Amino acid sequence: MNDAARPMLDTYREVITPEGVPLQLPAAGPVPRALAWLIDLCVRFGVLAVMSPLLVALGELGQGIYLGLMFLMFWAYPIVLEVWFGRTLGKKVLGLRVVARDGAPLGWMPAIVRNLLRTVDALPFGYALGLVTCLFDAHGRRLGDLVAGSLVVHTPPRPATPPARIDTVLAPPLPLQPGEQAALVAYADRAPALSPGRQHELADIISGLSQERGQAGVLRLYAMANWLLGRR
């Protein structure tokens, strides 16, 4: 296949799980990230504006509390929310999430580093350095993300039908190649949204792996997917 015929994959970061399953993380570009930042900025100033009249009435004590509130809103706000929930309010509105470079949840130290380095990304003005870094990085990361080992990704929409939940875990009867493992996990993710007949039809195609047909084969494939995903 020549380069012209290849699909555009530069906005995806592929990572391999410990079980050998490849995952593609859809990296977010500078535009949705900038919009999320503007929403967060409005949230910060909105909270300060609401609290200001009350704190002014408290005199010097209110001034001290106001300074502490400013620190919490401009520094603790993004760090705490990114560690606890993976995203700030602005990122939630835009459907974004901050993860580690391997797709794992963001830890405290990377969250602190990426947010402290916003002061560098903002140089010389208007986040110019951060924008240039995003444009030249294949995964849209600013300098803070590069140093912290973090990545901002689009969160996939929730499926219309909730995935089937089974607790059974079953090791595949034979070794599977990474592509075969990915196909099995994808089947387990998408099959609940299909009709029972379609589920059985697809499961019967690989009945040599499940060693069953029909609904029994479907359940065995779910159990093997659980095993591949480490749910054991």
Side-chain angles (χ1 to χ4, degrees):
M1 181 184 295
N2 57 37
D3 292 340
R6 291 177 181 171
M8 296 295 291
L9 297 176
D10 56 327
T11 57
Y12 285 81
R13 178 179 176 87
E14 185 174 82
V15 298
I16 307 298
T17 67
E19 293 77 21
V21 179
L23 298 176
Q24 287 191 335
L25 304 176
V31 173
R33 294 182 62 171
L35 293 175
W37 178 83
L38 286 175
I39 293 174
D40 286 326
L41 189 64
C42 292
V43 170
R44 290 171 168 130
F45 281 113
V47 172
L48 293 175
V50 169
M51 295 298 296
S52 290
L54 175 61
L55 297 179
V56 168
L58 296 178
E60 294 184 358
L61 175 61
Q63 293 179 7
I65 296 175
Y66 185 83
L67 292 176
L69 183 61
M70 285 186 61
F71 172 81
L72 292 176
M73 293 305 302
F74 282 91
W75 292 106
Y77 164 80
I79 294 172
V80 172
L81 291 186
E82 287 177 359
V83 173
W84 285 359
F85 305 106
R87 52 190 175 181
T88 59
L89 295 178
K91 288 183 175 66
K92 182 177 182 179
V93 172
L94 271 295
L96 306 179
R97 180 178 294 274
V98 185
V99 297
R101 62 164 59 93
D102 59 355
L106 196 68
W108 283 104
M109 187 54 65
I112 292 173
V113 170
R114 75 181 302 274
N115 282 286
L116 286 179
L117 285 179
R118 286 185 185 277
T119 55
V120 179
D121 283 309
L123 297 174
F125 59 87
Y127 274 86
L129 181 58
L131 176 60
V132 171
T133 307
C134 284
L135 294 176
F136 279 91
D137 182 74
H139 304 115
R141 294 170 295 183
R142 59 179 177 83
L143 184 62
D145 292 313
L146 293 173
V147 176
S150 58
L151 179 68
V152 180
V153 299
H154 293 278
T155 54
R158 293 187 176 183
T161 304
R165 300 181 184 276
I166 65 171
D167 298 327
T168 308
V169 177
L170 179 66
L174 48 87
L176 299 178
Q177 298 297 320
E180 296 170 334
Q181 296 179 16
L184 180 55
V185 172
Y187 171 81
D189 286 340
R190 299 170 186 172
L194 304 176
S195 66
R198 184 59 173 163
Q199 293 182 35
H200 298 167
E201 179 184 354
L202 294 174
D204 289 347
I205 295 175
I206 52 175
S207 59
L209 174 65
S210 64
Q211 300 175 350
E212 294 284 354
R213 299 181 67 85
Q215 184 64 18
V218 172
L219 294 177
R220 287 178 69 89
L221 292 178
Y222 284 150
M224 292 179 194
N226 283 341
W227 188 90
L228 292 174
L229 293 172
R231 298 169 181 166
R232 54 184 184 275

